[in-house]
Amino acid sequence: MHDQTGFTNIQTLDPSIIVDLRYATTHNFTHQVIYDFTTAIARTGTAEKLARASAALRTQGYRLKVWDAYRPVTAQKRLFDVYPDPSFVAPPNPNFSHQKGVTFDLTLCDQAGRELEMQSAFDDFSERAHRTFPRTPTQEAHYQLLDQAMTQAGFVGYDNEWWDYRDADMDAYQPLAADPNDF
Ligand SMILES: C[C@@H](N)C(=O)N[C@H](C)C(=O)O
């Protein structure tokens, strides 16, 4: 069933989700524009799970900000060429994670859209990004809010990057490519 699932623009499911695709700008670890779209799409089942996490957070006064969603294999190659460390940047592979649209890079915001303090910046490729890295009480509260909403909605957090959440059903999805500009 899931391998037939197409893509959905996450903001059509929940317009309160903030989308700030860093790789569409130079504000990312490569300092290059990696792709030519600003629309966040994911496999429909994965996007629906994100909408559930967002709804749960909204009732508590928070919003999600998505830094990356579906990422074409060509974009992954550009990222990997700059930082070829598979513990932080996956090698190009159409059957993996962002590259088949089953993963989000995201963080937690207040209702006004201000990012809340986390243990590190996005794409800080150091031990600070690890889920086991010690957090201050404020960082821990924010981390737990985000983590509980995402895991209860059906995601699994990647151990090395606190911002990376993968659909727990990701192995059921076959590779599929799309142009987010069509959504
Ligand atoms: C590059 C970083 N944001 C990321 O997404 N890392 C994981 C491991 C990936 O490349 O899939």
Side-chain angles (χ1 to χ4, degrees):
M1 180 188 70
H2 285 297
D3 58 352
Q4 300 301 325
T5 305
F7 286 91
T8 294
N9 176 341
I10 63 170
Q11 285 184 311
T12 64
L13 296 182
D14 184 347
S16 79
I17 299 173
I18 301 160
V19 171
D20 175 19
L21 299 186
R22 290 284 194 87
Y23 306 128
T25 74
T26 56
H27 186 203
N28 66 65
F29 71 93
T30 70
H31 308 291
Q32 302 168 32
V33 174
I34 295 294
Y35 47 58
D36 69 348
F37 55 85
T38 54
T39 304
I41 66 169
R43 302 299 276 273
T44 299
T46 307
E48 286 169 349
K49 288 183 179 183
L50 187 74
R52 285 206 285 281
S54 174
L57 286 166
R58 257 200 340 271
T59 64
Q60 301 170 80
Y62 300 97
R63 294 169 69 186
L64 289 172
K65 177 184 274 193
V66 169
W67 285 317
D68 198 40
Y70 167 68
R71 178 190 304 161
V73 178
T74 49
Q76 189 74 33
K77 182 173 184 316
R78 287 185 196 122
L79 299 182
F80 193 72
D81 283 348
V82 173
Y83 202 87
D85 175 352
S87 56
F88 286 111
V89 182
N93 176 354
N95 197 25
F96 188 67
S97 200
H98 288 279
Q99 302 166 71
K100 60 176 177 177
V102 295
T103 299
F104 297 105
D105 289 342
L106 46 67
T107 194
L108 189 66
C109 291
D110 65 15
Q111 266 177 333
R114 289 180 291 249
E115 287 178 23
L116 297 178
E117 184 186 337
M118 291 297 194
Q119 65 201 62
S120 79
F122 175 50
D123 280 352
D124 173 335
F125 297 148
S126 75
E127 64 175 9
R128 290 195 69 86
H130 294 178
R131 286 176 191 272
T132 51
F133 190 77
R135 290 177 277 271
T136 67
T138 299
Q139 291 166 357
E140 183 66 18
H142 296 158
Y143 174 82
Q144 290 300 335
L145 275 165
L146 179 62
D147 194 59
Q148 282 170 24
M150 292 300 286
T151 55
Q152 281 169 16
F155 290 90
V156 177
Y158 175 46
D159 285 348
N160 289 349
E161 297 176 343
W162 63 262
W163 57 79
D164 181 308
Y165 282 92
R166 300 157 182 198
D167 191 327
D169 296 320
M170 67 178 179
D171 291 342
Y173 287 82
Q174 295 298 307
L176 188 65
D179 182 349
N181 289 314
D182 294 337
F183 294 79

